[in-house]
Amino acid sequence: MQRRKFLIGVGATASGGAAALGTGAFSRVESQRQVSIEVANDANAYLGMKTLDTPNSNNYVEYDGNGHLTIDVGEHDDFDGPDTQPGEGVNSDSFTWFDGMFQLCNQGKAEANISYELPDPPAERDIPGNWTAPGDGYDEQVVGFYYISEGGDDPGEEGDRIFVPEGDSVPLPVGECREMGVRTVTKGVDATTDAPLIDGDVVVTADSPAAGAPNGTDPS
């Protein structure tokens, strides 16, 4: 009888020891795995930003030395037109549209929602922090982007300009591109100030919930 009690006691002690050891799987592991991530210029990246063969794109849009798409609507020294002085900027107290500036293309593996964020307005400009035109009675965004409606699920009629306010998003299916334009509103904006209407980096964000969500959450 005493021997049986002893054996049972030893078994319980061994089991408890195994449980205690199991709470710490290891102290250190080193594993080597192959990872390859390539960096592409804006035209060839998963979120493609491409120039177009249009007059506006050819005149105002180009890639910098790092392959990043840049927009410069201002005075240009290489003007090649009629015998007049080249313009230096958009008209004051006006709405101005620049169609066909560039393309945004979804070159990834899942649908994406595209949005943008503008930099702070230049300090020399009397523009509120939310980029609202300072003119009385106007709540229009001073600088922003729009796309050309293709009909179907797009708002408006085919060919309409669909303005996208800062912070709003536009769905972009896999393998599709949207032709983007730039709109300016200069109601109440001082035309005698030399400071540019906008000067800084625009942050473009592409969210793709269908590609996966953190912590196993439902992307819907």
Side-chain angles (χ1 to χ4, degrees):
M1 182 64 66
Q2 295 301 322
R3 183 173 181 273
R4 175 179 293 182
K5 289 182 179 179
F6 174 76
L7 291 177
I8 291 175
V10 171
T13 302
S15 176
L21 290 175
T23 59
F26 49 79
S27 294
R28 179 176 179 178
V29 174
E30 291 187 8
S31 297
Q32 182 175 336
R33 299 293 184 271
Q34 176 66 37
V35 177
S36 177
I37 300 176
E38 295 187 7
V39 178
N41 58 33
D42 278 356
N44 299 319
Y46 291 127
L47 175 60
M49 303 180 188
K50 302 184 178 184
T51 58
L52 295 166
D53 189 15
T54 63
N56 282 337
S57 187
N58 289 335
N59 281 295
Y60 304 122
V61 186
E62 62 182 5
Y63 298 108
D64 66 14
N66 295 317
H68 298 162
L69 186 136
T70 63
I71 298 174
D72 183 6
V73 180
E75 184 177 6
H76 292 262
D77 296 333
D78 55 349
F79 180 73
D80 185 16
D83 294 332
T84 59
Q85 292 296 318
E88 298 180 358
V90 298
N91 294 76
S92 64
D93 195 30
S94 302
F95 284 73
T96 305
W97 289 264
F98 294 90
D99 290 345
M101 291 286 270
F102 62 96
Q103 273 188 333
L104 283 179
C105 299
N106 184 348
Q107 300 173 162
K109 299 294 184 180
E111 179 175 298
N113 297 315
I114 313 298
S115 60
Y116 69 91
E117 179 182 351
L118 298 172
D120 292 334
E124 300 89 340
R125 288 287 181 185
D126 183 21
I127 299 175
N130 61 357
W131 280 99
T132 301
D136 293 339
Y138 282 91
D139 58 359
E140 297 283 349
Q141 192 171 303
V142 173
V143 178
F145 298 89
Y146 61 90
Y147 65 92
I148 305 301
S149 174
E150 298 179 354
D153 294 334
D154 281 350
E157 300 293 331
E158 183 177 356
D160 285 353
R161 299 183 181 99
I162 309 300
F163 185 77
V164 183
E166 181 184 20
D168 284 8
S169 62
V170 177
L172 188 58
V174 177
E176 294 192 9
C177 299
R178 285 199 181 278
E179 179 182 315
M180 305 300 297
V182 176
R183 189 197 75 179
T184 63
V185 180
T186 53
K187 299 292 183 178
V189 176
D190 186 0
T192 64
T193 301
D194 291 335
L197 191 62
I198 181 174
D199 186 17
D201 294 334
V202 175
V203 179
V204 180
T205 302
D207 283 322
S208 185
N215 300 323
T217 57
D218 185 355
S220 62

